[in-house]
Amino acid sequence: MNNIIHYDKYNYFCYIGVFQDKDYEAESLFLDTQTAIMLERFYYNPHRLESAVNAAITDFLLETIDKDRIPGFAMQEACWDRALGAINLPQLKRMELAINDICTWDREKIINHSQSNGIAFSDFVFREKVSFTKSIIPHLKSNPMLIGSYALILKIHLMNYKKSRTDKFKLFREFVDFVNYRVGIFHAVEFSIAVHYFLGNSTQHDIVQGLLKFGSKDPLGAILTSCWDLFFLRLLQLQYMKNDWGIKQPKLVTRDDALIELAQYSSIHGLIEINETPMPIVSFDYKDLDSNTLSFLEDVHNEIRRAAIIRNVTDSEDIEKKYERITDVARELEEELIGIVKQGV
């Protein structure tokens, strides 16, 4: 039985946990960006929502009225303005007002609001639509925790152009070398994505395709969205084990089909200390891989563990320098990917 995924009775919101073999009652709920956006729409214009959507959001608010809803990261992603290169403050004000107010409502207020014409917001909010993004680096400064994921997903996008004409083991070796020696970081979720896409079957391939959106006309924008999805999944797994910020028994609330699919392959089963930092032990379902591929992966995992041990012993970089180094790598990969896209390769 898969206890990672549970949908509400409307099959609208999905609650993602962290264990394959057991469920738990959530005390805290991370809201992903789409969830936060739907709560904002419900606040200002409930009458304009489809009746089924209105009912699902109303039920969500009623069922989670005693939960700790955590929307901060979702609002950060939703309100980052690529045209400005900064947070769109009027948009943030509008969203914060809506979500913070909703969190104070009792059951009667929630029900009455669902049947109303919403709450007026008089301030004008303008946001210029950006169709092509030249760099995501400014955005990453607003959440430095995205930088490692961004570099790895950039690399996967670049490798995708060689997928049809390169031996899969040779191609995956390129990714492993990039992880070990170019960026010097290991993100288990991103690693699993690379396994599924370059070494997995057609079903796993399609899941990654949906998550990473290869072939987008705005590739950097698509990669940023993917990185945020993976960030929410990593945040959930890490905070369940660390219990930071007063967050207890968290689950992630989302409507993102690709993220939901990916979460079904990922679970945690322990915690280890790396440089005095608690890190969850994340496992992935590789049951559909053939024996030759599994043997190859076992050797790769051993190599990654050895490289990580060496880094822990010899790495003298502080966090700021490591961020700058990985940022430089990401900037180079951005330029390479944009060059390929412009050439139409």
Side-chain angles (χ1 to χ4, degrees):
M1 180 178 179
N2 190 327
N3 286 288
I4 293 282
I5 304 299
H6 291 281
Y7 283 91
D8 65 12
K9 65 183 181 183
Y10 295 91
N11 205 38
Y12 188 78
F13 289 117
C14 179
Y15 296 79
I16 298 179
V18 299
F19 300 112
Q20 291 283 357
D21 56 351
K22 67 177 181 179
D23 193 18
Y24 57 92
E25 180 68 24
E27 296 184 31
S28 303
L29 296 172
F30 287 111
L31 308 185
D32 83 336
T33 305
Q34 187 60 33
T35 302
I37 289 172
M38 295 311 298
L39 292 184
E40 180 187 32
R41 291 178 182 174
F42 177 82
Y43 181 82
Y44 291 110
N45 297 293
H47 58 296
R48 294 183 181 177
L49 298 174
E50 295 180 6
S51 58
V53 174
N54 185 307
I57 296 174
T58 301
D59 187 70
F60 167 75
L61 293 173
L62 292 173
E63 291 295 318
T64 64
I65 198 167
D66 296 324
K67 308 293 185 184
D68 178 23
R69 305 187 196 114
I70 307 168
F73 288 111
M75 290 192 290
Q76 184 185 43
E77 181 187 7
C79 298
W80 178 266
D81 191 324
R82 295 181 208 170
L84 294 175
I87 294 290
N88 187 313
L89 294 179
Q91 185 185 13
L92 179 63
K93 177 183 176 182
R94 175 187 170 95
M95 180 171 272
E96 282 185 327
L97 175 63
I99 294 179
N100 290 342
D101 195 16
I102 283 175
C103 289
T104 68
W105 292 354
D106 59 19
R107 299 183 66 84
E108 182 180 4
K109 174 65 175 176
I110 293 169
I111 294 172
N112 289 339
H113 180 82
S114 71
Q115 302 166 357
S116 74
N117 290 329
I119 296 174
F121 185 80
S122 58
D123 291 349
F124 178 72
V125 175
F126 173 78
R127 179 159 180 161
E128 180 181 348
K129 186 176 180 179
V130 176
S131 59
F132 189 84
T133 313
K134 295 182 179 179
S135 177
I136 298 298
I137 302 302
H139 183 115
L140 299 180
K141 293 179 180 178
S142 72
N143 184 354
M145 290 181 284
L146 293 172
I147 184 61
S149 181
Y150 185 59
L152 293 173
I153 299 302
L154 272 168
K155 182 62 177 177
I156 292 174
H157 268 253
L158 284 166
M159 289 169 54
N160 181 53
Y161 286 96
K162 298 186 286 185
K163 186 174 185 291
S164 62
R165 59 181 186 271
T166 306
D167 174 77
K168 67 177 184 178
F169 295 117
K170 181 179 180 180
L171 192 59
F172 197 80
R173 162 56 55 189
E174 179 180 334
F175 182 73
V176 173
D177 290 344
F178 180 80
V179 168
N180 280 339
Y181 309 116
R182 188 83 189 277
V183 292
I185 55 173
F186 178 76
H187 283 342
V189 178
E190 285 78 355
F191 183 84
S192 176
I193 285 173
V195 170
H196 286 317
Y197 190 68
F198 295 109
L199 303 178
N201 58 33
S202 59
T203 299
Q204 295 164 333
H205 177 281
D206 291 344
I207 290 171
V208 176
Q209 172 68 46
L211 181 70
L212 299 192
K213 303 175 181 65
F214 296 116
S216 169
K217 294 182 180 179
D218 182 21
L220 300 188
I223 292 171
L224 177 63
T225 299
S226 301
C227 288
W228 269 104
D229 288 342
L230 300 176
F231 168 80
F232 281 115
L233 184 56
R234 181 179 298 106
L235 180 69
L236 169 72
Q237 293 170 339
L238 185 58
Q239 290 305 318
Y240 185 94
M241 303 304 292
K242 291 178 65 176
N243 192 23
D244 281 352
W245 310 330
I247 296 171
K248 298 179 180 179
Q249 299 280 98
K251 285 189 176 182
L252 172 63
V253 185
T254 182
R255 297 188 60 249
D256 189 303
D257 291 336
L259 177 58
I260 294 166
E261 285 276 9
L262 179 66
Q264 295 186 65
Y265 287 87
S266 170
S267 61
I268 60 176
H269 60 268
L271 187 71
I272 58 175
E273 293 275 340
I274 299 179
N275 292 338
E276 300 181 351
T277 300
M279 296 295 291
I281 302 172
V282 182
S283 64
F284 294 92
D285 181 2
Y286 295 151
K287 65 182 180 181
D288 293 326
L289 300 181
D290 60 59
S291 58
N292 189 34
T293 303
L294 288 172
S295 177
F296 170 77
L297 274 177
E298 183 177 358
D299 291 339
V300 165
H301 280 134
N302 289 334
E303 181 180 339
I304 288 173
R305 280 192 287 268
R306 289 193 296 270
I309 292 171
I310 293 172
R311 281 199 303 272
N312 289 336
V313 173
T314 63
D315 193 354
S316 60
E317 277 187 312
D318 60 29
I319 293 178
E320 184 174 346
K321 288 183 178 179
K322 181 171 290 188
Y323 174 83
E324 291 176 356
R325 179 175 57 78
I326 299 174
T327 299
D328 289 340
V329 172
R331 190 175 286 109
E332 291 178 19
L333 296 179
E334 280 185 337
E335 293 176 358
E336 184 178 352
L337 181 57
I338 288 177
I340 291 174
V341 170
K342 288 182 175 179
Q343 291 172 10
V345 176

